[in-house]
Amino acid sequence: MDDENTVFIGSKETMNYVQAVMMQFNDTDEICIKARGRAISKAVDVAEITRQRFVEDAEITDITTDTEELDRDEGGTVNVSSIEITLSK
Amino acid sequence: MDDENTVFIGSKETMNYVQAVMMQFNDTDEICIKARGRAISKAVDVAEITRQRFVEDAEITDITTDTEELDRDEGGTVNVSSIEITLSK
């Protein structure tokens, strides 16, 4: 999916990302929410809050997980889980 | 799915749950990993570590999320996201 239609979940408040998703739904009917590591829980919150409270015709049409190998500052690599949640209306 | 074939993710170390999943795979070919709130990230780790490192013929066949309404100790309710990951071999 186009990066334009993707919301990356980071360390901001959950509701910031819910707002970002809602704004993107003005331009497109399908949005991908992506997160890694501990932000995965927040990604699920963002998807659930959006569809339950704000965009009631939206539904989760796909969820995939993966393992990504990231470089560590100290050298070497570390494995981190990731999630992609597709929300469609 | 039967509660017997379910692993609930809580506050223990990730590898405890990976071990629990591997042990259950001795008895069944399909396991459900369930978590709520911040444990959701750990649930994805457990599924990913199990299938990438330990049970290589296992794959994630379904992921669903939901919102659960829990009672608070102080009264009232709070909404918490939940996830169910089905791992099959």
Side-chain angles (χ1 to χ4, degrees):
Chain A
M1 192 181 301
D2 216 327
D3 256 17
E4 250 179 78
N5 301 331
T6 299
V7 173
F8 291 95
I9 307 298
S11 55
K12 291 184 203 157
E13 289 288 317
T14 303
M15 292 311 290
N16 287 58
Y17 300 108
V18 173
Q19 262 176 340
V21 169
M22 284 166 59
M23 280 184 56
Q24 294 214 13
F25 264 140
N26 291 327
D27 300 324
T28 177
D29 289 341
E30 195 171 80
I31 290 166
C32 185
I33 300 169
K34 292 189 186 184
R36 279 193 196 127
R38 273 187 254 175
I40 288 174
S41 305
K42 200 186 286 179
V44 173
D45 283 339
V46 170
E48 284 292 320
I49 291 170
T50 303
R51 79 179 179 99
Q52 304 260 4
R53 273 206 262 162
F54 296 105
V55 189
E56 283 174 9
D57 57 343
E59 54 184 342
I60 294 168
T61 48
D62 194 30
I63 305 178
T64 59
T65 64
D66 202 358
T67 302
E68 296 180 18
E69 207 174 64
L70 302 182
D71 293 322
R72 305 172 73 157
D73 292 339
E74 314 90 90
T77 59
V78 61
N79 287 336
V80 179
S81 301
S82 63
I83 198 166
E84 292 190 20
I85 303 172
T86 306
L87 208 55
S88 310
K89 66 165 187 177
Chain B
M1 193 181 303
D2 214 327
D3 255 17
E4 249 180 78
N5 301 331
T6 299
V7 174
F8 292 95
I9 307 299
S11 56
K12 291 186 204 157
E13 289 288 317
T14 303
M15 292 309 292
N16 287 56
Y17 300 108
V18 173
Q19 261 176 340
V21 170
M22 285 166 57
M23 280 183 57
Q24 295 214 13
F25 263 140
N26 291 327
D27 300 324
T28 176
D29 290 340
E30 195 171 80
I31 288 166
C32 185
I33 300 169
K34 292 188 185 183
R36 278 194 197 127
R38 274 187 253 175
I40 287 174
S41 305
K42 201 186 288 180
V44 173
D45 283 339
V46 170
E48 284 291 320
I49 291 169
T50 303
R51 79 179 178 98
Q52 304 260 3
R53 273 205 261 162
F54 296 104
V55 188
E56 284 174 8
D57 56 343
E59 53 183 344
I60 294 169
T61 48
D62 194 30
I63 306 178
T64 59
T65 63
D66 203 358
T67 301
E68 296 179 18
E69 206 173 67
L70 302 182
D71 293 322
R72 304 173 72 158
D73 292 340
E74 315 90 89
T77 58
V78 61
N79 286 336
V80 179
S81 302
S82 64
I83 198 167
E84 293 191 20
I85 303 172
T86 306
L87 208 55
S88 309
K89 67 166 187 176

